[in-house]
């Protein structure tokens, strides 16, 4: 039986108290929400906190509220509850697909939306049992066995990255499904600390470092996800590439949101890629503005969108295939939002966006 | 184990409602529901497969919802929380319709995934008494089986559905659903 190492456990009743406990304890403290990201890391020896602060008793984190300006989802709302939330409109399709397509039904019943945004980066050289990692001399993300985000934030580098052994950075992959979708929807989050709270765009939550992917101070707790109300002119989607129709993290993903004029021209657009860098990649969309989504615009946008992607040899599938398939997924997603019928979207569509019927 | 300082690492008694029976079980903060069920309560019907959330063999119902016992810290369960495992599925010597159908239609071979499959299917039928094959496949998408190829499992859940007594829809005649 794989077991978690022993730790102290506290279950505060407010997020501010949780933040204070973590801040006061220092780097040996870990926050626990749904447990689907933290517990495997504890069992693999990737983390060994001496204090775990459970968030299950923080009732406010499980609330969801719909208003005229959009939807406020507590960070502790499960992925399953997010995907089927009654206040999601057809324009929120990208979020329903991303939350409803993460992992498996069981994991979605446990894992939370906030936890998915904060999930650790993943890598084939890192997500292995401790003896496996020890046999290769560990890696730059965890040079002594456990991940060291504090060292990363301080700029210290030790150990070898087996993905790019000559380099001095960690290439572990941002694997959240929800993050690209929420970026495309223009969502924001509230994080609280012992001193107060602040609000930032989901697009500003992550940084391009596989060792410390969150731009949160230690002791800050993500409490709320603010999803804006989007009018009916918005069309959004999320396409996820993976080997199986369940279980797998994305090896490439695209979330798209466009607001179309009645004439078919793009008035606003947002897009983000998942699974191809250490953070969700925000895609430049200015080239789409004022244009109709004809095949030429779609092809050019897809080509440009994947240019900054850096798929490396640390996930399932070969990097070159992932880049090519992701380009096709971006094009397919764009054809979907311009209104092409599902049967015209090709085999990738059935694999990538199979979870929900067309809105 | 009891020599540990009082830092929260020592076991404390927790009362759970397991298969309808209140039980007091000692729980340490780092122990999973899987460890508590199998080792604390001797309920070894719930299987340990990957133990990392990647197979579904340990699926149990917490308040009727399928979750993975291997990724649930027992300390996080509420006092008197309802936990249902495979041991509570049969009614004494009488198998549950899902068990009957799995046995009759070849929904299992080695049997290791079966407790997780059955508990997940039970939750589906409670929520969706007449599921389509697609709904069954979606509900069981977190349960790996290396023997059957899944076909007979989906078939068995569909076959069991009419025999699983559920609350009758409002206005429907009472004894519409009899057990086999």
């Amino acid at each position: 039986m794989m077991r978690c190492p022993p730790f102290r456990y506290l279950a505060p009743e407010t997020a501010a108290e949780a933040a204070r406990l973590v801040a006061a304890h220092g780097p040996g403290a870990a926050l626990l929400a749904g447990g689907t990201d933290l517990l495997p890391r504890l069992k693999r020896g990737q983390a060994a906190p001496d204090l775990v602060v459970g968030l299950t008793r923080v009732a406010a984190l499980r609330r969801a509220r719909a208003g005229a300006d959009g939807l406020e989802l507590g960070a502790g709302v499960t992925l399953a509850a997010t995907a089927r939330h009654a206040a999601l409109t057809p324009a929120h399709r990208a979020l329903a697909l991303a939350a409803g397509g993460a992992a498996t039904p069981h994991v979605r019943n446990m894992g939370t939306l906030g936890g998915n945004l904060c999930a650790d980066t993943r890598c084939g050289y890192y997500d292995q049992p401790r003896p496996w990692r020890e046999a290769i001399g560990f890696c730059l993300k965890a040079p002594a066995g456990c991940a060291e985000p504090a060292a990363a934030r301080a700029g210290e580098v030790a150990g070898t990255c087996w993905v790019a052994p000559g380099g001095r950075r960690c290439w572990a992959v941002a694997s959240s499904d929800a993050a690209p979708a929420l970026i495309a929807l223009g969502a924001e989050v509230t994080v609280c600390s012992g001193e107060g709270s602040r609000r930032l765009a989901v697009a500003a939550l992550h940084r391009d470092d596989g060792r410390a992917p969150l731009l949160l101070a230690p002791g800050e707790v993500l409490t709320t996800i603010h999803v804006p109300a989007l009018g009916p002119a918005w069309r959004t989607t999320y396409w996820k590439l993976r080997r199986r129709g369940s279980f797998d993290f994305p090896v490439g993903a695209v979330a798209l949101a466009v607001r179309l004029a009645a004439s078919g021209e793009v008035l606003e657009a947002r897009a983000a890629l998942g699974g191809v860098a250490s953070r969700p990649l925000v895609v430049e969309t200015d080239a789409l503005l004022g244009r109709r989504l004809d095949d030429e615009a779609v092809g050019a946008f897809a080509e440009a969108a994947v240019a900054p992607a850096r798929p490396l040899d640390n996930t399932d599938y070969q990097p070159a295939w992932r880049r090519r398939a992701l380009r096709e997924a971006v094009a397919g997603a764009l054809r979907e939002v311009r209104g092409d019928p599902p049967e015209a979207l090709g085999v990738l569509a059935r694999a990538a966006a199979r979870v929900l019927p067309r809105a | 184990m009891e020599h540990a300082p009082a830092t929260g690492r020592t076991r404390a008694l927790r009362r759970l409602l397991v298969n309808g029976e209140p039980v007091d079980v000692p729980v340490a903060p780092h122990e999973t529901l899987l460890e508590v069920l199998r080792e604390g309560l001797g309920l070894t019907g719930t299987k340990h497969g990957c133990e990392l959330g990647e197979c579904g063999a340990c699926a149990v119902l917490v308040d009727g919802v399928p979750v993975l016992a291997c990724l649930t810290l027992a300390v996080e369960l509420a006092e008197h929380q309802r936990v249902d495992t495979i041991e509570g599925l049969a009614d004494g010597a009488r198998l549950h319709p899902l068990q009957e159908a799995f046995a009759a239609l070849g929904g299992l071979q080695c049997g290791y995934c079966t407790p997780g499959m059955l508990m997940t299917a039970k939750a589906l039928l409670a929520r969706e008494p007449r599921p389509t094959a697609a709904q069954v496949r979606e509900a069981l998408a977190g349960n790996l089986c290396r023997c059957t190829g899944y076909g007979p499992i989906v078939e068995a859940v569909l076959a069991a559905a009419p025999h699983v007594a559920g609350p009758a829809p409002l206005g429907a005649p009472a004894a519409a659903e009899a057990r086999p």
Side-chain angles (χ1 to χ4, degrees), chain A residues 1-9 32-33 39-40 43-44 54 56 104-110 246-247 354, chain B residues 7 9 29-30 35 39 50-52 54-55 59 65-68 70-73 76 120 138-139 141-144:
Chain A
M1 183 94 79
M2 292 178 87
R3 298 178 201 275
C4 298
F7 46 74
R8 269 180 82 206
Y9 173 84
L32 173 65
L39 260 69
K43 292 182 179 188
R44 293 194 203 100
T56 46
T104 69
H106 307 78
V107 170
R108 295 195 294 272
N109 285 339
M110 305 170 70
S246 188
F247 287 96
R354 54 170 276 287
Chain B
T7 60
R9 295 182 189 194
H30 65 281
E35 290 168 279
E39 297 169 356
C50 72
E51 299 175 39
L52 294 168
E54 298 169 10
C55 79
V65 176
V67 298
L68 300 173
C70 76
L71 297 185
T72 302
L73 287 184
E76 295 233 290
T120 307
E138 175 60 29
N143 298 85
L144 288 185

Side-chain angles (χ1 to χ4, degrees), chain A residues 82-333:
Chain A
T82 299
R84 60 168 185 253
H85 198 282
L88 290 185
T89 66
H92 293 127
R93 175 173 163 82
L95 179 58
L97 285 169
T104 69
H106 307 78
V107 170
R108 295 195 294 272
N109 285 339
M110 305 170 70
T112 63
L113 186 59
N116 191 263
L117 282 177
C118 296
D120 197 10
T121 52
R122 302 182 60 82
C123 176
Y125 292 95
Y126 174 69
D127 290 299
Q128 301 289 350
R130 191 181 162 101
W132 190 103
R133 294 183 295 124
E134 198 165 8
I136 60 165
F138 294 116
C139 73
L140 191 142
K141 184 167 166 68
C146 286
E148 294 181 3
R153 282 191 291 266
E156 297 163 23
V157 179
T160 303
C161 171
W162 298 105
V163 182
R168 289 172 56 78
R169 60 155 293 178
C170 168
W171 292 97
V173 179
S175 303
S176 167
D177 286 298
L182 288 168
I183 291 170
L185 297 185
E188 299 182 348
V189 292
T190 295
V191 298
C192 88
S193 66
E195 281 85 56
S197 66
R198 65 187 176 108
R199 188 161 158 163
L200 66 158
V202 175
L205 185 60
H206 301 91
R207 56 184 216 153
D208 194 22
D209 183 340
R211 295 188 298 164
L214 281 179
L215 278 169
L216 295 181
E220 278 189 315
V221 178
L222 199 160
T223 59
T224 315
I225 295 96
H226 309 269
V227 184
L230 297 174
W234 279 99
R235 297 187 194 171
T236 74
T237 193
Y238 177 72
W239 284 37
K240 171 178 181 174
L241 303 173
R242 55 175 164 182
R243 188 173 294 271
R244 301 173 288 184
S246 188
F247 287 96
D248 297 335
F249 289 92
V251 298
V254 56
L256 263 181
V258 298
R259 185 163 70 87
L260 296 176
S263 57
E265 281 145 15
V266 175
L267 300 174
E268 284 183 84
R270 284 188 296 264
L273 306 180
V276 286
S278 293
R279 59 166 293 171
L281 284 182
V282 178
V283 176
E284 177 58 58
T285 55
D286 283 356
L288 288 177
L289 299 182
R291 290 195 65 168
R292 282 166 194 279
L293 293 175
D294 55 29
D295 286 348
E296 190 198 331
V298 166
F301 178 77
E303 193 70 42
V306 299
R310 289 292 300 270
L312 296 170
D313 193 13
N314 58 349
T315 69
D316 194 8
Y317 287 116
Q318 291 176 349
W321 181 89
R322 286 164 62 204
R323 175 184 292 280
R324 240 183 6 256
L326 185 57
R327 188 186 62 209
E328 294 308 311
V330 173

Side-chain angles (χ1 to χ4, degrees), chain B residues 100-134:
Chain B
E100 295 269 15
F102 269 60
L105 297 172
L108 71 158
Q109 288 176 33
C110 87
Y112 207 78
C113 71
T114 310
M117 288 280 182
L118 288 169
M119 297 313 288
T120 307
K122 179 178 192 255
L124 169 69
L125 295 184
R127 175 166 56 90
E128 195 67 63
R130 296 288 185 277
T132 63

